[in-house]
Amino acid sequence: MNLEEVMQELEALGKERTKKIYMSNGAHEPLFGVATGAMKPIARKIKKDQALAEQLYATGNYDAMYFAGVIADPKAMTEADFDRWIEDAYFYMISDFIVAVTLSETDIAQQVADRWIASGEELKMSAGWSCYCWLLGNRPDAEFSEDKLSGMLENVQAKIHQSPERTQYSMSNFVYTVAVSYVPLHDKAVETAKAIGPVEVQKDKPKSKFLNASDNIQNAVDKNRIGFKRKYVRC
């Protein structure tokens, strides 16, 4: 399939209700409002096609950008490619659920994520922390440095309350993910979550909300999910 054919199929799958949901979360035109599950039949036909993925991502259409992540060949992408993708990620559903997910299937994931975390830019930092969440939730514990992850927990504890809002979400999720999916640091992650306490977000809205990693971790403990690893990252 070529770019025009894929765009026509995506447009036909668009729903106004889904479009409104995406826009309420930060998406803007152009987009069609395609449910992610509805993309699977097209993805099965195409499988991996990096050249087509690049064309789709470059359209700036949210649905096309998401589908680009589905059919991308992460192993064919360089650091420069991921830097280009993150620069065009204009809200968290792209940075954290397209770019970070795709990055997590590469051998360069940690080095790129580390750079983004250190960037000081909200969505790059968010994508970096999110990438580690995808990695930890999928790869064996042996692939990670316990000392490095321990230092990252300390980094979150020291900086989360002063970090940009979207980064706070990903940092809180990182603490939760370490507790659930990286058994060697479960206890430290639990203590880190307690030390952080609730993190207030959405302060610009009539009613703010609080991120509470401790509560989420306890829910996972209650459901016997400690040590959980997902089989696949991308659907």
Side-chain angles (χ1 to χ4, degrees):
M1 295 179 73
N2 61 32
L3 176 63
E4 184 178 351
E5 290 168 337
V6 174
M7 293 299 287
Q8 287 174 351
E9 291 217 20
L10 289 175
E11 185 172 12
L13 292 168
K15 297 282 192 292
E16 196 61 32
R17 183 173 177 274
T18 306
K19 182 175 179 177
K20 287 178 180 176
I21 292 170
Y22 291 161
M23 293 184 80
S24 71
N25 280 285
H28 59 57
E29 295 283 5
L31 77 162
F32 303 130
V34 185
T36 56
M39 296 180 180
K40 288 184 179 180
I42 317 174
R44 281 195 288 268
K45 285 191 282 186
I46 297 172
K47 297 186 171 65
K48 289 181 181 177
D49 187 331
Q50 186 58 32
L52 180 56
E54 291 289 358
Q55 289 180 309
L56 287 161
Y57 197 86
T59 64
N61 177 297
Y62 170 68
D63 301 291
M65 295 172 86
Y66 187 95
F67 191 65
V70 174
I71 65 166
D73 181 1
K75 306 283 188 189
M77 295 180 70
T78 65
E79 286 197 42
D81 292 328
F82 282 106
D83 285 340
R84 180 163 38 79
W85 276 35
I86 197 64
E87 289 295 341
D88 289 337
Y90 65 85
F91 80 122
Y92 78 94
M93 286 174 69
I94 301 175
S95 63
D96 295 13
F97 296 99
I98 301 174
V99 184
V101 169
T102 308
L103 176 61
S104 73
E105 294 200 356
T106 71
D107 295 331
I108 57 173
Q110 290 194 46
Q111 66 197 58
V112 174
D114 290 344
R115 214 163 25 79
W116 290 352
I117 287 170
S119 71
E121 298 177 43
E122 182 172 13
L123 290 182
K124 283 185 181 179
M125 292 191 291
S126 182
W129 289 108
S130 290
C131 182
Y132 269 96
C133 295
W134 295 113
L135 287 167
L136 289 162
N138 172 252
R139 299 195 186 188
D141 288 350
E143 289 195 22
F144 303 93
S145 161
E146 183 174 341
D147 286 345
K148 179 180 180 180
L149 294 179
S150 179
M152 291 175 74
L153 286 172
E154 292 165 11
N155 186 8
V156 173
Q157 183 174 330
K159 298 179 179 178
I160 188 168
H161 287 285
Q162 295 79 42
S163 294
E165 183 171 286
R166 199 62 237 174
T167 308
Q168 291 178 323
Y169 277 92
S170 298
M171 291 171 113
S172 180
N173 194 37
F174 172 79
V175 176
Y176 164 82
T177 306
V178 172
V180 172
S181 296
Y182 187 75
V183 174
L185 286 176
H186 170 80
D187 290 342
K188 179 162 185 172
V190 168
E191 292 307 311
T192 301
K194 288 177 182 175
I196 289 168
V199 179
E200 187 177 10
V201 292
Q202 296 185 10
K203 298 173 190 174
D204 59 333
K205 296 191 175 178
K207 191 173 182 181
S208 64
K209 63 179 283 189
F210 290 90
L211 308 176
N212 196 319
S214 284
D215 287 352
N216 294 334
I217 293 167
Q218 187 57 52
N219 287 338
V221 170
D222 293 343
K223 293 176 182 176
N224 197 30
R225 287 175 62 84
I226 304 307
F228 167 78
K229 301 281 185 180
R230 61 175 61 84
K231 191 171 182 181
Y232 302 105
V233 178
R234 291 187 297 172
C235 297

